[in-house]
Amino acid sequence: MSLILLAKGFALGISMILPLGSQNAMMLNQGINRNYHLLTALFFALSDILLITFGVMGGSFLLASNEIIFDLLTWGGIIFLCSYAAMSVKAAFSRTVDSSTSSSAKKSLKIVLISSFLVTFLNPHVYIDMLMIIGSVGGQYQGSNKIYFMLGLMSASVFWFFTLAIGAARLSKQLSKPRIKGAIDITVAVIMFSIAWSLLTTWLAK
């Protein structure tokens, strides 16, 4: 039974993380640039573990009942995602064939940590996935069954983010070619703008 619950948690976790959202887009870029990519993966995984624990243990009710918090998260997310998208567009069009510019593109540890924090905690979709959806499913289990389900969810986050970080870093030589990296930057920008737009339309539809 415990293995089944672990597998269920892992499968649900992967299905929540797999779509290319803001965290994955940033993780891909960090891996390609080999810019604190493992630390970024660790931050994202630990953040997911925190949110999973909070959601499964009943935190979803707190978020659902406080509209002001959700509004602040929504607008904070919109502003940050649009800013990140604009920087990605700028990076795509300012990229040159000269690979010597790649070193200057690397961000400091402080900037990476701040960006990781904002991408994670200013994205209401994270709360919807981790708290609302996962929280409601996890709330069906009790005792040790809930623990096994949570462990499955957590292992999915750890597996995914470190796989993406290591995979992108190993393929960085191929993915760092100006045209490919430029295309990735544009893709990241489109994803960020799309998420920001979906947040705005959801907020306006309330």
Side-chain angles (χ1 to χ4, degrees), residues 6-93:
L6 281 169
K8 284 184 177 180
F10 186 89
L12 178 60
I14 287 294
S15 69
M16 293 285 102
I17 302 169
L18 197 57
L20 191 56
S22 54
Q23 280 184 317
N24 288 338
M26 180 178 173
M27 187 70 265
L28 183 62
N29 260 335
Q30 295 304 111
I32 292 171
N33 294 329
R34 296 188 177 185
N35 184 201
Y36 297 109
H37 56 293
L38 294 179
L39 183 62
T40 304
L42 178 62
F43 184 93
F44 285 157
L46 290 177
S47 298
D48 275 7
I49 288 171
L50 176 65
L51 291 167
I52 287 167
T53 303
F54 188 61
V56 174
M57 293 302 179
S60 56
F61 297 107
L62 176 64
L63 183 64
S65 62
N66 198 320
E67 193 171 325
I68 295 176
I69 292 178
F70 202 78
D71 286 346
L72 290 173
L73 288 171
T74 297
W75 280 102
I78 290 170
I79 293 168
F80 175 74
L81 290 168
C82 287
S83 300
Y84 198 103
M87 288 189 291
S88 294
V89 171
K90 181 181 178 182
F93 285 101

Side-chain angles (χ1 to χ4, degrees), residues 146-159:
K146 180 175 288 191
I147 300 298
Y148 285 122
F149 181 73
M150 286 172 57
L151 288 174
L153 289 165
M154 294 171 183
S155 62
S157 289
V158 173
F159 169 80

Side-chain angles (χ1 to χ4, degrees), residues 20-195:
L20 191 56
S22 54
Q23 280 184 317
N24 288 338
M26 180 178 173
M27 187 70 265
L28 183 62
N29 260 335
Q30 295 304 111
I32 292 171
N33 294 329
R34 296 188 177 185
N35 184 201
Y36 297 109
H37 56 293
L38 294 179
L39 183 62
T40 304
L42 178 62
F43 184 93
F44 285 157
L46 290 177
S47 298
D48 275 7
I49 288 171
L50 176 65
L51 291 167
I52 287 167
T53 303
F54 188 61
V56 174
M57 293 302 179
S60 56
F61 297 107
L62 176 64
L63 183 64
S65 62
N66 198 320
E67 193 171 325
I68 295 176
I69 292 178
F70 202 78
D71 286 346
L72 290 173
L73 288 171
T74 297
W75 280 102
I78 290 170
I79 293 168
F80 175 74
L81 290 168
C82 287
S83 300
Y84 198 103
M87 288 189 291
S88 294
V89 171
K90 181 181 178 182
F93 285 101
S94 64
R95 198 170 301 282
T96 64
V97 179
D98 184 7
S99 61
S100 64
T101 59
S102 62
S103 60
S104 63
K106 291 192 175 183
K107 302 170 185 174
S108 68
L109 175 59
K110 181 180 178 180
I111 294 298
V112 169
L113 289 175
I114 291 173
S115 297
S116 300
F117 179 87
L118 295 176
V119 161
T120 301
F121 294 103
L122 281 185
N123 183 3
H125 285 175
V126 169
Y127 296 95
I128 292 171
D129 290 346
M130 292 296 175
L131 299 187
M132 302 297 191
I133 298 175
I134 287 177
S136 62
V137 176
Q140 300 172 8
Y141 300 106
Q142 300 296 326
S144 60
N145 288 342
K146 180 175 288 191
I147 300 298
Y148 285 122
F149 181 73
M150 286 172 57
L151 288 174
L153 289 165
M154 294 171 183
S155 62
S157 289
V158 173
F159 169 80
W160 174 254
F161 285 122
F162 277 95
T163 299
L164 185 58
I166 294 170
R170 289 192 174 181
L171 294 172
S172 62
K173 185 176 289 187
Q174 292 83 0
L175 297 176
S176 293
K177 292 178 180 178
R179 286 188 178 180
I180 296 177
K181 190 61 173 66
I184 291 173
D185 285 331
I186 292 296
T187 302
V188 168
V190 170
I191 291 168
M192 297 296 191
F193 276 132
S194 298
I195 295 173

